Amino acid sequence: MDIKQIAKDTAKTLQSYLTYQALRTVLAQISETNPPLALWLQRFCADKIQDGEAYIEQLFQEKAELALRIMTVREHIAEQVTEYLPEMVRTGIQQANMEHRRQHLERITQIDTSTPSPEPETQATSDPNNEQ
Amino acid sequence: MDIKQIAKDTAKTLQSYLTYQALRTVLAQISETNPPLALWLQRFCADKIQDGEAYIEQLFQEKAELALRIMTVREHIAEQVTEYLPEMVRTGIQQANMEHRRQHLERITQIDTSTPSPEPETQATSDPNNEQ
């Protein structure tokens, strides 16, 4: 497992995602002040937002003002949000893992307690692949 | 701008992305020890990895061992990686913004310095839309 490479890839993905959130924020702002421009931006972004940097570069060629605005907003979002992410993500994963394990245990227990059902033998032999 | 909501959405996206990285790690491991299982997992994941929790839940129904393994790996990756992300992402965005601004200035300057070219008047008037 190449932790360094995973960290790099994750940071890049996060950077693109925050660019997308900045775009959404700017869209919400200008849809009130300048609806035609908002519509233009909404159409422009459709398929290009996967790579945040490529997106901003292309937007610069079309409407530099909007690109500069999205850049400012994403920097602001990054400053406000990133410091909370490590704790949120670690807790989120731990809790989700616990919940998945709990549900799994419940399913196993249900299979065990189903033994006194009408045809326990048939059920046990009919689908041996279910056992892990 | 709803910073709290953006933080929540970002953490959820990050959680799914780390699940995807854990899947890739497990895939790399079992492709050496159990190629048929790796092939099965590769086919299973194709369209479901967008939502990490839904993916793990579905994998639990099919191969609980693999789901448990991916869960363990993603928790490990989260512990190793997340603490570095805030700094990496903030720096990444600042540097990318600086680079975009630099390129933008260069483009503007190129238009300005093109004035002493052989036919400055013609060029300046032929494409006035180039100016930002």
Side-chain angles (χ1 to χ4, degrees):
Chain A
M1 192 182 331
D2 186 350
I3 285 291
K4 259 195 176 173
Q5 190 57 47
I6 290 178
K8 269 188 198 171
D9 292 347
T10 308
K12 204 187 159 199
T13 300
L14 201 49
Q15 192 165 324
S16 280
Y17 184 76
L18 294 183
T19 307
Y20 159 74
Q21 285 287 356
L23 162 68
R24 282 190 56 188
T25 304
V26 170
L27 260 178
Q29 290 166 348
I30 60 175
S31 67
E32 290 184 10
T33 57
N34 190 343
L37 186 62
L39 195 66
W40 180 89
L41 183 59
Q42 199 155 31
R43 283 180 183 157
F44 179 76
C45 75
D47 57 334
K48 302 184 189 73
I49 193 64
Q50 284 292 328
D51 179 346
E53 302 320 309
Y55 175 79
I56 285 184
E57 205 166 313
Q58 286 180 45
L59 187 56
F60 247 120
Q61 320 283 333
E62 301 281 333
K63 304 224 189 260
E65 294 277 321
L66 281 180
L68 286 164
R69 189 159 164 180
I70 290 173
M71 279 160 52
T72 307
V73 171
R74 74 171 177 170
E75 199 166 333
H76 175 72
I77 292 177
E79 273 158 19
Q80 298 281 311
V81 159
T82 49
E83 67 174 304
Y84 301 106
L85 291 178
E87 183 61 26
M88 286 174 88
V89 171
R90 278 196 297 255
T91 311
I93 284 180
Q94 281 164 9
Q95 285 179 348
N97 280 3
M98 215 149 57
E99 182 59 21
H100 285 303
R101 285 193 187 102
R102 192 189 62 72
Q103 285 176 5
H104 180 55
L105 278 174
E106 248 177 34
R107 275 192 298 267
I108 292 174
T109 319
Q110 275 170 359
I111 292 167
D112 285 344
T113 55
S114 72
T115 317
S117 71
E119 291 168 301
E121 289 299 319
T122 321
Q123 197 174 358
T125 51
S126 66
D127 193 5
N129 294 325
N130 252 356
E131 289 169 33
Q132 293 287 342
Chain B
M1 192 183 328
D2 187 351
I3 284 291
K4 258 195 177 174
Q5 191 56 47
I6 290 178
K8 270 187 198 171
D9 293 346
T10 308
K12 205 187 156 198
T13 300
L14 202 47
Q15 192 165 324
S16 280
Y17 183 76
L18 294 183
T19 307
Y20 159 74
Q21 285 287 357
L23 162 68
R24 282 190 56 188
T25 304
V26 170
L27 259 178
Q29 289 166 349
I30 61 175
S31 67
E32 290 185 10
T33 57
N34 190 344
L37 186 62
L39 196 65
W40 179 90
L41 183 60
Q42 199 155 30
R43 283 180 183 157
F44 179 77
C45 75
D47 57 335
K48 301 184 189 74
I49 193 63
Q50 283 293 327
D51 178 346
E53 302 319 310
Y55 174 79
I56 285 183
E57 206 166 312
Q58 285 179 45
L59 187 56
F60 248 121
Q61 319 283 332
E62 300 282 333
K63 305 228 188 254
E65 294 277 323
L66 281 180
L68 286 164
R69 189 160 165 179
I70 289 173
M71 279 160 53
T72 306
V73 171
R74 73 171 177 170
E75 199 166 332
H76 175 72
I77 292 178
E79 273 158 20
Q80 298 281 312
V81 161
T82 50
E83 66 173 305
Y84 302 107
L85 291 178
E87 184 60 26
M88 287 173 87
V89 171
R90 278 196 297 255
T91 311
I93 284 179
Q94 281 164 10
Q95 285 180 347
N97 280 2
M98 216 149 57
E99 183 58 22
H100 285 302
R101 284 193 187 102
R102 192 188 63 72
Q103 284 177 5
H104 180 56
L105 278 174
E106 247 178 32
R107 276 192 297 266
I108 292 175
T109 318
Q110 275 172 358
I111 293 166
D112 286 344
T113 54
S114 71
T115 316
S117 71
E119 292 168 299
E121 289 300 317
T122 321
Q123 197 172 357
T125 51
S126 65
D127 193 5
N129 293 323
N130 252 356
E131 288 170 34
Q132 294 284 343

